[in-house]
Amino acid sequence: MNRRQAISAIALGTAAITFFPQCQSITVPTFDNFTVEPRAYQLLTHLADVILPKGDLPIETIEPTAEYILNVIDACYTPEDRQKFLDGWAAYQTYVKEEVQKKPKKWDAAQTETVLEKLELMLEEDSAFAEFYKSTKSLTRKQFTTS
């Protein structure tokens, strides 16, 4: 392979990555007691940003909010509480997929408000969905106030 072919192959590969972002993989941390899919991790990251939008505030934390939440769930929750959180997280993913039918980054303000209203209404219930939201909301605020 000559230099011209090599450069053109590199340019083609770079263009493919640029134009097909779904081919880019995100790094998801590993945990001792459960595994996390990249899309689920992105959904949790988005929810944490919706709960507590940081905007342009220059806030530095040791780890991203979603990673903090999952580390606490992994290390500090009992197996029963951890399972409730995971079941609620799965229910939230199903809700977003079936009801909202858009990726979180494509939500407009009205859709975001609808999702938050649904989550707040769920706090009244005794369900895994409610436990997931309570934990996510509480740990998001805790990380922000202790960073």
Side-chain angles (χ1 to χ4, degrees):
M1 177 180 279
N2 65 29
R3 190 179 322 167
R4 184 173 288 171
Q5 288 174 325
I7 291 173
S8 107
I10 291 171
L12 182 62
T14 304
I17 290 172
T18 303
F19 292 118
F20 299 109
Q22 64 271 20
C23 295
Q24 296 176 357
S25 62
I26 64 162
T27 303
V28 177
T30 57
F31 303 95
D32 294 334
N33 297 302
F34 53 87
T35 58
V36 178
E37 297 294 320
R39 287 188 181 196
Y41 185 76
Q42 287 178 318
L43 191 59
L44 183 62
T45 299
H46 183 265
L47 179 60
D49 290 343
V50 167
I51 290 171
L52 191 66
K54 297 173 187 164
D56 295 332
L57 293 175
I59 299 167
E60 301 220 8
T61 57
I62 296 172
E63 58 196 347
T65 304
E67 186 175 342
Y68 171 79
I69 292 167
L70 295 173
N71 276 329
V72 171
I73 298 295
D74 186 43
C76 303
Y77 278 36
T78 64
E80 295 82 23
D81 290 340
R82 187 180 313 117
Q83 192 57 50
K84 277 185 185 177
F85 177 87
L86 295 172
D87 291 345
W89 193 10
Y92 177 66
Q93 292 172 57
T94 302
Y95 166 74
V96 169
K97 185 177 181 180
E98 293 176 359
E99 300 293 324
V100 183
Q101 299 178 348
K102 283 187 180 179
K103 292 184 179 182
K105 290 185 178 187
K106 295 183 179 181
W107 294 356
D108 58 23
Q111 287 171 318
T112 301
E113 188 66 30
T114 301
V115 170
L116 281 179
E117 286 173 1
K118 165 85 171 168
L119 291 169
E120 289 294 329
L121 288 173
M122 294 300 289
L123 288 176
E124 306 298 322
E125 299 178 13
D126 182 31
S127 66
F129 197 87
E131 288 302 315
F132 160 74
Y133 183 57
K134 284 179 197 174
S135 296
T136 301
K137 189 174 181 179
S138 170
L139 292 170
T140 298
R141 289 178 175 172
K142 184 175 182 177
Q143 188 210 25
F144 180 76
T145 58
T146 59
S147 62

